Amino acid sequence: MKQLPRLSIRLLFFGLVAAISIGSTLIFADWLQRSGMTPAKWTLASIYCVLSLGLAFGFVQFVLGFLVLFIRYSPYKISRRIRTDQTGDAINLQSRVALLFPVYNEDPASVFRGIQVIYEELKASGQLEHYTFFMLSDSTDPNQWIDEEKEWLQQVNKLEAQGKLIYRHRSSNINQKSGNVSDFCRRWGAHFEHMICFDADSLMSADCIIKLTSLIETSPEVGIIQTMPGLIGGETLFARLQQFANRIHGEITGAGLNLWQQSEGNYWGHNAIIRLEPFTKHCTLPELPGPQPLGGRVMSHDFVEAALMRKAGYEVWLAYDYGDSYEELPPTLLDYAQRDRRWCQGNLQHVWIALFGNIPFISRVHMLNGIYAYLSAPLWLAFLSISTLAAYSWELSQLTPIIRPPLLPYSPSSIIDHGLVIFSLTMVMIFLPKLLTIIRLFSNSRFRKQFSNPFKASLSILIEVSIYALIAPAMMLFHSAFVVSILSGGKVKWNTQNRSSHSHTSWQDATQAHIGQTAVGILWAILAWKINPTLLYWLSPVLIGWVFSIPISVFTSHKEPAEWLKQRGLLLTPEEIAPPETIRRINELAAKIESPPKPIRVLRKDYGLIQALLDPYTNALHLEFLPKRGKQSEDSRQRLRDLAEKLLEAGAPALTGPEKQRLLNDHYTVRQLHKSLWSSAENSLPEWWRIAIDRYSKQSLFVAEL
């Protein structure tokens, strides 16, 4: 099918967005003026205009994506560009590709499971010679750090991957993940043509990796090809809701997004292949004006790097139709909110670049869309607040409204019917995409087969919509609080993301996080009832989510309701119904791993440091990774001597985390501490070290606490 000009596609897309937004705003403003305009109503109309623009954007993108897939209009599908005359095994690759796995205090066993699966698949494909694996650690927890080194050696020996699996630990994690990748580019980038960046929880099949490599090799105009990762591994109800929604609606969203952005796509930070030479040359992150949280270093680097790649003249593609690209997800609402706090600050920082940066127009749209994703929450909250206060002010006045005729043609004469039209338009933009997915389930045989039973999949969509309707109000308040905190100077810390579903949200944690939301919901409900019972009825979908936010948060964090639904064939994804080989293999490896017993309480926090300093094997391995530093200043050397003496005299609890990290980063100090501990008389050591040596000598350092 012939391609339409890119300009025509974009005029259609943005024209529809503008028409729907302007039209719905005019209808809303017309409804407001029928009872007389006030400053509050003008404010409401302005807020509604912005909110309707966001709703229309997502709605039009989804509808066009549905039409693209429904009529099989595929000229813009990335998969059409693959060499169709060759199979994945027969593709003759020419380039060298680095596979990067940046980690920060993650579970090493989990990360290396993903590396093992990818390595074995690439080896079986006959294309392994083109790929080198890099585990790039920014871990600050000595326990995780030492485990990474041991796990690395184990995997190298198991896979016979000498020279193919490289581990590096940075002594200073400046600029976090983006700094880690930049460090790789400076050290090794010249040896590779391309890199594929992963997250600690992401995964790609060898077939997908080979296709991406072949595609970027034969497309010299392309700088980044971003896949569209599917969510996997969800066990809690909250995670399974996200996972199901991502899989059943994601392809339509991707098709719509790809239609209007085409060669000017975005980068999401992982599961993408990148051309290294232009990335290293053109994608150095700028320093934003002013202090943090809105200034300083760029937190959300990926959007900016995509914009800089486009500015340099290279295209950025979205391979939404590739498949075999995956990532995991936060297991609970509170974990999801914690991650969103970081993303919120990163996206709000983009306002400097989106408004004042010299970047392409579509890159500007991507950034503004990301900013809107978080600003929409306080806007909705302001809309509800002003509406309630306006109703309260009107009730206090005890005036009888004078209903004016509508100004727009074809508007209902009844002001109640007029209001229902506005409500219906809003509901259509929110819920019609869900209906379109159900239509696709029954009209597309391939899609229907993926989800096995279209009736159960449709029921799953209703479950997803119903529970998300309860969760959304809580997220609105979370996002509003994040925006206010950031704009008032609050900074976010770089914490490890919780990826484990072994523990659910406790009532105490849920109460601490949601008690303010519950109080807001109760007080707002009382006020609405006092104003007018009808107002309470209209606000009830939002108020219910606030009032019951604590039990909702706890309930959705449990596995049991998710398992109950799974056993009945609900919220199932294609990867669960018919697991691809990559997923089957990683699940198989995960099932074989037994959780190691915990060390006794007095040693649990510092077992990594104890291993590095006591165990000769671990000590020798750790020393191999540490650079033999050149001449240090006397002040620096004295500081290290003081810390080492403090450690020997009082044990690890006497040192702070950064102090332990500093000691473990110094080759000479680690070697001397190992020697001192084994050459000292046992009775000359403090009790903490005697316990540690005793447990080590009896090979019971990691026995479980009774």
Side-chain angles (χ1 to χ4, degrees):
M1 187 177 291
K2 185 180 178 181
Q3 283 191 353
L4 292 176
R6 183 169 62 182
L7 180 60
S8 299
I9 290 289
R10 289 180 178 168
L11 286 175
L12 172 66
F13 176 78
F14 290 109
L16 286 173
V17 171
I20 293 173
S21 177
I22 293 171
S24 59
T25 301
L26 288 175
I27 294 171
F28 181 72
D30 190 25
W31 178 71
L32 290 177
Q33 69 83 28
R34 297 189 65 177
S35 57
M37 292 300 288
T38 64
K41 289 185 177 181
W42 282 112
T43 305
L44 280 177
S46 301
I47 295 175
Y48 185 87
C49 179
V50 178
L51 292 174
S52 65
L53 184 65
L55 285 175
F57 192 99
F59 174 73
V60 173
Q61 177 175 281
F62 199 93
V63 171
L64 291 181
F66 171 80
L67 292 175
V68 165
L69 297 176
F70 187 79
I71 65 177
R72 293 175 173 81
Y73 181 71
S74 58
Y76 302 106
K77 289 177 69 173
I78 299 302
S79 59
R80 289 172 58 91
R81 298 174 180 257
I82 275 290
R83 305 175 209 176
T84 55
D85 59 326
Q86 296 176 310
T87 64
D89 292 335
I91 290 176
N92 183 25
L93 300 180
Q94 303 295 325
S95 59
R96 297 160 298 174
V97 183
L99 306 183
L100 309 187
F101 295 81
V103 295
Y104 176 73
N105 294 331
E106 305 283 352
D107 174 29
S110 177
V111 177
F112 275 107
R113 278 199 299 272
I115 291 176
Q116 179 181 343
V117 169
I118 298 171
Y119 189 96
E120 291 173 342
E121 286 192 0
L122 285 172
K123 188 174 183 179
S125 74
Q127 302 285 7
L128 181 61
E129 62 180 297
H130 298 283
Y131 299 94
T132 304
F133 293 70
F134 290 83
M135 185 175 184
L136 307 174
S137 173
D138 267 342
S139 297
T140 55
D141 182 348
N143 294 342
Q144 304 296 99
W145 178 6
I146 302 304
D147 278 351
E148 288 167 3
E149 294 176 347
K150 293 169 60 181
E151 191 73 30
W152 168 84
L153 184 59
Q154 182 180 339
Q155 287 292 337
V156 167
N157 292 333
K158 180 195 297 185
L159 300 173
E160 298 180 348
Q162 290 80 3
K164 298 293 289 183
L165 176 53
I166 297 170
Y167 173 83
R168 166 165 165 77
H169 178 270
R170 285 202 303 166
S171 58
S172 173
N173 52 25
I174 185 171
N175 290 336
Q176 303 164 2
K177 181 180 176 180
S178 62
N180 208 349
V181 173
S182 297
D183 180 77
F184 161 81
C185 292
R186 288 190 298 270
R187 290 176 178 273
W188 290 288
H191 300 286
F192 300 92
E193 283 75 41
H194 313 107
M195 67 177 178
I196 298 179
C197 196
F198 291 77
D199 259 357
D201 61 353
S202 63
L203 181 70
M204 297 170 72
S205 72
D207 183 60
C208 182
I209 290 170
I210 292 168
K211 285 180 179 178
L212 287 175
T213 306
S214 175
L215 183 54
I216 203 167
E217 281 185 355
T218 55
S219 308
E221 73 278 15
V222 177
I224 301 174
I225 305 176
Q226 173 67 61
T227 65
M228 196 163 183
L231 299 180
I232 59 171
E235 296 183 11
T236 64
L237 178 57
F238 181 81
R240 292 189 62 77
L241 286 168
Q242 293 183 80
Q243 183 175 276
F244 175 78
N246 165 270
R247 292 298 287 116
I248 203 161
H249 306 301
E251 189 177 6
I252 301 178
T253 301
L257 175 60
N258 186 63
L259 182 66
W260 68 263
Q261 71 176 24
Q262 296 181 33
S263 61
E264 298 182 85
N266 211 353
Y267 171 43
W268 301 335
H270 57 89
N271 291 46
I273 191 166
I274 301 173
R275 194 178 298 276
L276 263 167
E277 190 274 331
F279 182 86
T280 304
K281 184 177 180 180
H282 301 290
C283 296
T284 301
L285 297 175
E287 188 79 8
L288 299 176
Q292 286 195 3
L294 292 179
R297 62 174 180 81
V298 174
M299 289 189 64
S300 293
H301 57 93
D302 38 17
F303 281 37
V304 180
E305 287 161 347
L308 294 174
M309 186 69 80
R310 284 292 305 125
K311 182 181 177 182
Y314 289 85
E315 297 182 359
V316 178
W317 291 355
L318 173 63
Y320 75 92
D321 55 326
Y322 263 25
D324 289 342
S325 177
Y326 313 100
E327 65 173 321
E328 295 181 3
L329 62 163
T332 70
L333 175 59
L334 296 188
D335 292 317
Y336 186 86
Q338 182 185 43
R339 186 187 69 174
D340 260 17
R341 173 62 180 84
R342 299 194 304 271
W343 287 7
C344 180
Q345 180 173 330
N347 280 23
L348 292 185
Q349 278 187 322
H350 292 164
V351 69
W352 292 109
I353 302 171
L355 296 182
F356 308 111
N358 180 20
I359 59 174
F361 171 74
I362 295 299
S363 296
R364 207 179 302 276
V365 172
H366 286 306
M367 289 190 183
L368 291 173
N369 204 25
I371 294 167
Y372 173 82
Y374 292 97
L375 289 183
S376 61
L379 286 175
W380 275 113
L381 185 60
F383 184 86
L384 293 174
S385 302
I386 295 171
S387 299
T388 303
L389 291 174
Y392 179 66
S393 176
W394 183 262
E395 287 295 323
L396 282 181
S397 71
Q398 296 184 340
L399 297 174
T400 302
I402 299 175
I403 306 301
R404 298 172 174 82
L407 297 178
L408 296 177
Y410 308 113
S411 291
S413 57
S414 167
I415 192 170
I416 295 177
D417 292 342
H418 198 155
L420 288 174
V421 168
I422 297 167
F423 177 77
S424 299
L425 284 173
T426 305
M427 292 301 101
V428 164
M429 286 193 283
I430 293 174
F431 293 111
L432 181 59
K434 310 296 183 181
L435 179 59
L436 293 179
T437 300
I438 294 175
I439 292 173
R440 185 171 182 236
L441 272 171
F442 286 92
S443 63
N444 186 300
S445 58
R446 179 191 65 83
F447 190 60
R448 181 168 62 249
K449 185 178 179 181
Q450 284 184 332
F451 288 88
S452 182
N453 188 320
F455 296 98
K456 288 187 176 181
S458 300
L459 179 57
S460 297
I461 291 175
L462 296 178
I463 293 171
E464 170 232 330
V465 170
S466 301
I467 299 180
Y468 265 132
L470 297 173
I471 293 173
M475 289 307 304
M476 177 173 67
L477 287 185
F478 274 136
H479 286 173
S480 298
F482 297 161
V483 171
V484 171
S485 172
I486 291 166
L487 294 181
S488 60
K491 301 177 184 178
V492 65
K493 293 182 179 179
W494 188 28
N495 296 319
T496 306
Q497 180 178 312
N498 178 27
R499 309 183 195 275
S500 172
S501 56
H502 294 310
S503 60
H504 58 79
T505 301
S506 68
W507 285 97
Q508 180 180 355
D509 289 342
T511 301
Q512 184 177 358
H514 295 284
I515 189 63
Q517 298 176 356
T518 302
V520 168
I522 293 173
L523 294 174
W524 206 313
I526 294 172
L527 177 61
W529 176 263
K530 291 285 187 181
I531 295 171
N532 191 322
T534 303
L535 179 62
L536 177 62
Y537 170 77
W538 282 104
L539 292 175
S540 60
V542 175
L543 298 178
I544 288 172
W546 289 341
V547 172
F548 296 100
S549 57
I550 294 173
I552 290 170
S553 185
V554 173
F555 176 72
T556 56
S557 73
H558 280 268
K559 294 182 182 180
E560 291 78 10
E563 187 62 30
W564 187 89
L565 291 169
K566 184 178 180 180
Q567 290 173 357
R568 286 154 182 80
L570 299 172
L571 298 181
L572 290 178
T573 64
E575 288 75 24
E576 295 172 309
I577 296 169
E581 177 61 24
T582 305
I583 302 297
R584 187 196 63 77
R585 178 61 177 148
I586 202 163
N587 289 339
E588 188 179 87
L589 290 175
K592 292 179 180 179
I593 302 297
E594 296 182 1
S595 299
K598 297 177 181 179
I600 62 174
R601 184 179 300 278
V602 71
L603 306 177
R604 186 176 301 168
K605 185 178 179 182
D606 296 296
Y607 74 86
L609 179 143
I610 294 169
Q611 282 187 298
L613 298 184
L614 282 182
D615 183 70
Y617 175 87
T618 306
N619 179 262
L621 175 63
H622 183 64
L623 288 173
E624 282 298 312
F625 285 110
L626 296 180
K628 295 180 180 178
R629 305 188 188 282
K631 188 175 181 181
Q632 294 180 329
S633 68
E634 182 56 32
D635 287 345
S636 179
R637 176 54 57 193
Q638 185 59 47
R639 177 60 176 157
L640 284 167
R641 284 195 292 265
D642 292 343
L643 289 176
E645 185 176 347
K646 187 177 181 181
L647 176 64
L648 289 174
E649 291 179 352
L655 271 62
T656 65
E659 288 174 337
K660 296 171 190 175
Q661 187 180 10
R662 183 173 182 181
L663 283 178
L664 287 175
N665 262 310
D666 188 75
H667 186 282
Y668 177 81
T669 304
V670 170
R671 182 161 52 86
Q672 288 300 112
L673 282 169
H674 176 71
K675 181 179 179 180
S676 297
L677 285 168
W678 284 116
S679 61
S680 298
E682 184 176 346
N683 58 8
S684 67
L685 294 172
E687 182 183 8
W688 192 90
W689 278 113
R690 290 201 301 271
I691 294 173
I693 293 174
D694 177 68
R695 297 302 180 185
Y696 169 79
S697 300
K698 294 178 180 178
Q699 297 184 345
S700 57
L701 175 60
F702 301 106
V703 297
E705 182 179 10
L706 298 177

